[in-house]
Amino acid sequence: MTVSRRLFMAAAVTTAVAASSTTLAPAAATRPGGAAPPFRIPVGPGDSPERLVAKASQVRPTARQIAWQKLEQTAFLHFGVNTFTGLEWGTGDEDPDLFRPSGLDTDQWARALRDGGFRLAVLTVKHHDGFVLYPSRYTKHSVASSSWRGGKGDVLRSFADSLRRYGIKVGVYISPADENQYLDGVYANGSKRAPRIIPTLLPDDDRAAERPRSFTLDATDYGAHMLNQLYEVLTEYGPVDEVWFDGAQGRIPPDKVETYDWDSWYTLIRALAPDATMAVRGPDVRWVGNEGGLAREDEWSVVPVKDSGNGSIDYALRYDAPDQGSREALAEARSVAQYLQWWPAECDVSIRPGWFYHEDQQPKSVEELTDIWFRSVGRNSVLLLNIPPDRRGLLPDADVARLREFRERIRKELPKDLARGVRTRHDRAAGTVTVDLGRAREVDRIRLAEDIRSGQQLENAVVEVRDGDGWRTVTEVRTVGASRVVTLAEPVTARWWRLRVTRSRRTVRIAEFGLYRSEV
């Protein structure tokens, strides 16, 4: 993706609030001259702290990032040969015939996910062991070598068809690490990057007569293997909405590290699935830094990053740093950061202790899942919840029931926006949104959102109520972004409510100021 090299002059910081309705006039899709707003801006050690903040205020999300953020809650399904061995990280030399789900029903997966409120699901098409859940032309370590369904089974096909049937977007995880390809002498074999034609047609290739669209991309032997599998997945299974990578390396000697061909992989994905989000080792979405599903109290979507080789970017600060994007964090990263980038956080966690199914484990409680939701979706992040299918090829009954209970609990936490449709006043000069509920109402949950089409600008705000002594503060927030949900310690009863921005980078545009009374 082309990186804008323009430098941006410091702009005056204002606390003006533009709107508080969820129905806003469309933000400008392009900048003057037709250029897209920058999702990445170059920075350097010569930038002053004030200039860094001014540049951060200019960063905007892409259309695919905005669409991803709106999902709020997505699912992960870890399923494969590990489901039958009991391992979390396979060895690559497993007998493919171990994979024999007795009653695979991906419609059951899709129904459970729909009923649980999920709008996108990611399947482990290939985990670190290298076993592939569709009949790939480029490896025998796949469902085609299993006696399951006579070697004609295709989990990915069934998964994609079922999700679309139930209105859920399709995501795929193809592990960069591959223990099987290491054993076959392909992964980390020391080969040099060289131009490779993708797809690499094999003898008697069923696609030869079709003359498929091809690409010439630089890659190692293993990089080409990944490109060929990406090509299969992205051209033969319908639209893919997310491609999920991690940065895992195989469990191999340190001198055998495979340097991944990120640039070529990204190029192919953008060409074949231009609307797909690339996460979390990708340019669109970052890992939050833990596997507990927990975002930081103040989670910024604009963060400092640096090049990490072969077209990939990485955190300028530690991946688990307690602060990734405040003024102080931007200044701290100044000596190493090369860009400021819109790189929002995804919070991954499993409903069970393991990522793959283990018979002796049980799902998290509704209370645990609810706490995770408030500390992920409620903190400007998207929740990625793993629900592993069992050896039957079904989501366990306990997990399915828990998903329904979880969705109902969130509905009760935020049952009805009391501020929807009531009289609202905007004061740009004062930077306030004032809501008249018509009569005194009890409130104990507050939901805020910026219109992120105009960036993430809010750095501090207070929520106030008016009583006989004037306005008094009931809570304070430092960041909002796409979603911020605040739980009040005790319900507050008032007719007049006000959001007042006290510090921002540029103009703050509020998309939501919701007031709720929990039914829990």
Side-chain angles (χ1 to χ4, degrees):
M1 182 170 291
T2 301
V3 176
S4 171
R5 294 289 175 181
R6 293 183 60 188
L7 298 179
F8 294 88
M9 301 303 294
V13 175
T14 175
T15 59
V17 179
S20 66
S21 170
T22 54
T23 56
L24 300 172
T30 59
R31 297 170 60 81
F39 90 108
R40 181 189 294 166
I41 294 177
V43 296
D47 285 317
S48 68
E50 294 76 17
R51 187 171 175 78
L52 288 173
V53 173
K55 286 186 174 183
S57 75
Q58 297 281 353
V59 178
R60 301 289 184 270
T62 63
R64 71 176 67 85
Q65 289 173 315
I66 293 172
W68 174 85
Q69 194 85 52
K70 289 178 180 177
L71 295 171
E72 292 193 350
Q73 183 176 302
T74 59
F76 218 164
L77 293 103
H78 276 64
F79 188 51
V81 71
N82 289 354
T83 307
F84 299 88
T85 64
L87 298 177
E88 285 287 304
W89 186 316
T91 57
D93 57 358
E94 297 89 352
D95 181 354
D97 202 40
L98 290 170
F99 184 83
R100 285 186 290 172
S102 59
L104 180 78
D105 184 353
T106 53
D107 273 2
Q108 185 253 6
W109 301 2
R111 285 193 301 271
L113 296 176
R114 179 201 60 190
D115 294 346
F118 295 90
R119 300 165 65 185
L120 179 146
V122 179
L123 176 67
T124 54
V125 176
K126 182 186 76 168
H127 202 253
H128 309 329
D129 51 80
F131 184 82
V132 180
L133 291 181
Y134 73 96
S136 174
R137 301 168 181 83
Y138 299 96
T139 181
K140 294 181 179 179
H141 201 55
S142 78
V143 290
S145 297
S146 167
S147 60
W148 174 64
R149 294 187 176 174
K152 303 297 183 183
D154 189 334
V155 179
L156 177 56
R157 175 80 60 201
S158 182
F159 169 80
D161 290 348
S162 291
L163 260 60
R164 295 192 187 102
R165 193 154 41 241
Y166 285 87
I168 302 172
K169 294 179 180 294
V170 175
V172 295
Y173 164 45
I174 303 176
S175 170
D178 194 318
E179 302 288 350
N180 179 262
Q181 289 299 304
Y182 176 68
L183 296 175
D184 281 356
V186 177
Y187 182 89
N189 67 2
S191 60
K192 303 297 183 182
R193 276 165 59 97
R196 316 284 180 134
I197 297 176
I198 305 300
T200 306
L201 298 182
L202 303 173
D204 301 321
D205 198 300
D206 57 306
R207 299 167 296 181
E210 303 170 4
R211 297 191 176 184
R213 180 184 181 188
S214 65
F215 302 83
T216 301
L217 298 165
D218 288 340
T220 64
D221 290 349
Y222 178 70
H225 176 82
M226 279 285 290
L227 286 166
N228 279 312
Q229 290 194 322
L230 282 166
Y231 190 97
E232 290 177 317
V233 169
L234 298 179
T235 59
E236 298 178 21
Y237 291 88
V240 171
D241 301 285
E242 181 167 320
V243 179
W244 201 95
F245 291 124
D246 54 24
Q249 283 282 342
R251 293 183 299 189
I252 56 180
D255 60 336
K256 296 286 188 179
V257 170
E258 172 77 28
T259 300
Y260 297 136
D261 296 313
W262 297 114
D263 51 357
S264 295
W265 300 354
Y266 296 165
T267 296
L268 188 69
I269 295 166
R270 285 287 188 250
L272 297 178
D275 295 327
T277 300
M278 285 190 268
V280 296
R281 187 60 187 264
D284 298 321
V285 174
R286 66 182 161 90
W287 180 43
V288 75
N290 64 74
E291 293 185 343
L294 307 179
R296 298 160 181 81
E297 177 72 25
D298 296 299
E299 195 68 70
W300 285 94
S301 294
V302 180
V303 299
V305 300
K306 61 183 179 181
D307 289 326
S308 61
N310 284 6
S312 177
I313 53 96
D314 206 348
Y315 310 85
L317 301 173
R318 297 191 331 270
Y319 70 88
D320 58 352
D323 178 3
Q324 285 285 353
S326 71
R327 291 173 180 248
E328 293 75 19
L330 298 183
E332 180 185 353
R334 184 168 50 162
S335 62
V336 294
Q338 294 170 281
Y339 309 97
L340 296 180
Q341 177 166 320
W342 193 277
W343 208 27
E346 178 184 78
C347 299
D348 61 328
V349 65
S350 185
I351 197 170
R352 290 169 173 249
W355 290 92
F356 285 89
Y357 174 79
H358 303 281
E359 190 173 3
D360 59 345
Q361 296 179 353
Q362 294 300 315
K364 290 178 169 61
S365 68
V366 171
E367 289 71 22
E368 289 175 297
L369 293 174
T370 302
D371 179 63
I372 289 170
W373 188 93
F374 273 92
R375 296 168 70 182
S376 56
V377 177
R379 292 181 176 177
N380 188 38
S381 302
V382 168
L383 171 62
L384 177 63
L385 181 65
N386 179 64
I387 310 101
D390 60 22
R391 294 182 181 182
R392 299 172 299 172
L394 300 175
L395 298 186
D397 295 342
D399 300 44
V400 171
R402 191 57 38 83
L403 293 180
R404 288 196 300 268
E405 295 164 356
F406 175 39
R407 183 180 190 181
E408 179 62 16
R409 173 62 177 268
I410 298 302
R411 189 200 66 77
K412 288 183 177 180
E413 292 279 355
L414 302 168
K416 177 184 178 183
D417 183 2
L418 303 175
R420 183 176 295 275
V422 304
R423 187 169 61 175
T424 304
R425 187 177 75 246
H426 313 281
D427 188 332
R428 290 176 178 270
T432 61
V433 178
T434 306
V435 172
D436 176 7
L437 295 181
R439 61 182 176 86
R441 306 289 296 269
E442 266 196 356
V443 170
D444 62 358
R445 305 283 189 271
I446 300 169
R447 184 158 193 172
L448 305 171
E450 293 180 65
D451 180 355
I452 60 173
R453 294 173 298 180
S454 297
Q456 186 180 4
Q457 308 293 354
L458 192 149
E459 294 179 301
N460 201 88
V462 293
V463 176
E464 303 167 312
V465 295
R466 193 174 74 185
D467 52 28
D469 298 323
W471 292 98
R472 63 181 177 88
T473 298
V474 296
T475 192
E476 181 177 5
V477 295
R478 290 186 296 273
T479 56
V480 171
S483 176
R484 185 66 183 258
V485 183
V486 179
T487 300
L488 301 181
E490 297 290 341
V492 175
T493 302
R495 171 179 173 174
W496 294 91
W497 291 76
R498 183 170 75 179
L499 173 67
R500 181 164 59 89
V501 178
T502 57
R503 192 183 197 192
S504 67
R505 296 177 175 181
R506 298 188 81 200
T507 301
V508 176
R509 298 183 182 274
I510 296 297
E512 183 174 359
F513 178 24
L515 304 172
Y516 300 83
R517 179 61 171 100
S518 169
E519 296 176 354
V520 177

